[in-house]
Amino acid sequence: METWGGDQVDAAVASCLAALRPVADQDWTAVKAGRLEWSCHTTAFHIAEDLFSYAGQLAGRAQEDYVPVELVLEGDPGNFGLLQVIETMGVLLATTVRATPPGVRAFHPYPFRSADREGFAAMGVAEVLLHTHDIAEGLGFAYEPPAELCEDLLTRLFPHVKPGPAPWPTLLWATGRGELPDRAPVTEWRWRNNLVIETERLTLTGVRPAAARDLNLGGDGGFTWSEDGPYEGTRRAAGMLAQAYEAGVHRPEFGMFALVRRQDGRAIGGMGFHGAPDEEGRVEVGYDLVPSARGQGYATEALRTLAHWALERDDVRVVFATVDRGNEPSHAVVTRAGFTQVGDDGTHVAYALRR
């Protein structure tokens, strides 16, 4: 899977500049930007601020809060000067994303208090595209960015949103800026960076729908795998995630995680839920490891951590695991993770871990 980030930031900024330069001779201070309370001028500066802020968070590896710095314009640069600032901050974010290793995460408050380089790039792209739309709407002209860029953005920041008939209208609807047939208007929204959960030796990294599609089609999903990975079970689970996304029932926190070994940064397996909890708070978990990583306690470590993470939530009361009757190593994994047997149909054995 090709690295997603710097090139897409460049493309988003180029789309913004191509749309706004022809109208830069107009008065942006006296016109509201679409449905926002800000003027078009304030909104344009906000684009630059966001690009600057995301680059700073990622470059500084901020972990607890925003880096205490702000972007200040010198004098009144005018609209053309403001576009130059956007262009410059776009280069800053794109360069930072390209220079950041894949496992690095930095603080962002929603929803899981961190984002990786792909997440910061996606947030920067979203700010550019959406606020360019706001400015265009305020100034009275049509704007539509490249469809592929919008689709990529939806799979990374809006994994909980069912794809619509076209990516750009779907993105506008998902952010309260438009309408879609048979869908209620959106009045409140948040994007969702992927979740990561740390264990003693592993990082459980939430798999985005774009990565799941790639894994299901035989790619690496953007992960560096152990030489004998990914295992076939991981590819099947990725296909289930991709299907759930297309159907609009994917909940990212109850999706699939790649088990990344921190010692060498290699993915050694997959673990995740078969879906969101039911009305009684029951959720099922499944997993696999590449052969070379088995017998070292990784599966037990990951399962114990993920199950307890789930049980700390208000919407989960019990975590189930189903094991083939003859799979003795997997029986040992769930038992060591604290699960107890609750059923046996002669072919599969059911285990559960409760609050």
Side-chain angles (χ1 to χ4, degrees):
M1 181 176 179
E2 292 183 4
T3 300
W4 196 95
D7 290 350
Q8 287 70 28
V9 173
D10 287 341
V13 172
S15 173
C16 166
L17 298 176
L20 298 183
R21 275 180 175 145
V23 294
D25 57 347
Q26 298 182 28
D27 184 359
W28 290 6
T29 61
V31 180
K32 281 188 178 180
R35 307 180 188 192
L36 304 181
E37 292 300 318
W38 296 336
S39 71
C40 291
H41 182 277
T42 299
T43 304
F45 180 56
H46 178 73
I47 294 174
E49 286 183 307
D50 282 330
L51 295 170
F52 173 73
S53 174
Y54 293 150
Q57 290 298 103
L58 195 55
R61 313 292 200 262
Q63 297 299 310
E64 301 297 331
D65 206 341
Y66 290 110
V67 175
V69 64
E70 63 178 338
L71 182 65
V72 178
L73 293 177
E74 184 175 355
D76 181 5
N79 295 338
F80 286 102
L82 192 51
L83 292 178
Q84 185 179 24
V85 176
I86 291 175
E87 184 173 22
T88 302
M89 294 304 105
V91 172
L92 183 63
L93 177 58
T95 302
T96 303
V97 168
R98 292 186 180 107
T100 301
V104 170
R105 298 185 74 88
F107 173 82
H108 188 273
Y110 193 85
F112 304 119
R113 297 188 64 80
S114 74
D116 60 7
R117 64 180 185 180
E118 192 169 319
F120 278 106
M123 289 188 289
V125 169
E127 297 284 359
V128 172
L129 301 187
L130 293 170
H131 289 314
T132 300
H133 161 80
D134 296 333
I135 296 170
E137 190 173 56
L139 296 175
F141 69 93
Y143 168 71
E144 183 168 345
E148 182 178 0
L149 197 57
C150 300
E151 182 178 7
D152 288 347
L153 191 58
L154 285 164
T155 64
R156 286 163 172 82
L157 290 185
F158 297 89
H160 54 296
V161 171
K162 182 179 180 178
W168 179 232
T170 303
L171 182 59
L172 293 179
W173 171 82
T175 57
R177 290 171 165 85
E179 298 179 355
L180 283 182
D182 302 321
R183 298 198 195 187
V186 172
T187 56
E188 294 184 2
W189 62 275
R190 293 279 190 178
W191 51 48
R192 293 172 180 255
N193 281 294
N194 66 331
L195 172 65
V196 296
I197 301 172
E198 302 287 350
T199 76
E200 182 181 352
R201 297 175 293 170
L202 302 170
T203 299
L204 278 60
T205 304
V207 176
R208 298 176 170 97
R213 286 174 177 171
D214 186 68
L215 279 167
N216 185 235
L217 293 173
D220 58 19
F223 297 95
T224 301
W225 286 87
S226 176
E227 291 182 359
D228 51 347
Y231 205 59
E232 189 57 36
T234 294
R235 296 200 185 279
R236 288 197 300 269
M240 293 171 59
L241 189 159
Q243 290 175 0
Y245 169 68
E246 294 293 337
V249 297
H250 175 51
R251 282 181 59 184
E253 62 270 41
F254 288 103
M256 171 185 168
F257 299 83
L259 309 184
V260 179
R261 190 165 51 199
R262 285 201 299 277
Q263 178 183 9
D264 58 6
R266 292 187 175 273
I268 58 171
M271 181 173 290
F273 300 97
H274 293 185
D278 64 18
E279 294 180 354
E280 297 181 9
R282 299 177 301 188
V283 67
E284 185 172 358
V285 67
Y287 53 88
D288 72 6
L289 285 183
V290 299
S292 63
R294 296 172 187 172
Q296 302 173 56
Y298 289 123
T300 300
E301 181 180 322
L303 179 59
R304 182 186 297 120
T305 300
L306 185 61
H308 283 283
W309 172 87
L311 290 170
E312 289 176 356
R313 296 175 55 93
D314 293 337
D315 53 354
V316 177
R317 301 187 63 82
V318 56
V319 180
F320 288 96
T322 303
V323 180
D324 290 344
R325 208 168 192 280
N327 189 344
E328 293 302 326
S330 193
H331 289 286
V333 166
V334 295
T335 301
R336 287 195 299 265
F339 287 67
T340 56
Q341 183 176 331
V342 295
D344 185 344
D345 65 5
T347 304
H348 302 95
V349 179
Y351 291 86
L353 183 65
R354 305 177 185 274
R355 280 187 192 171

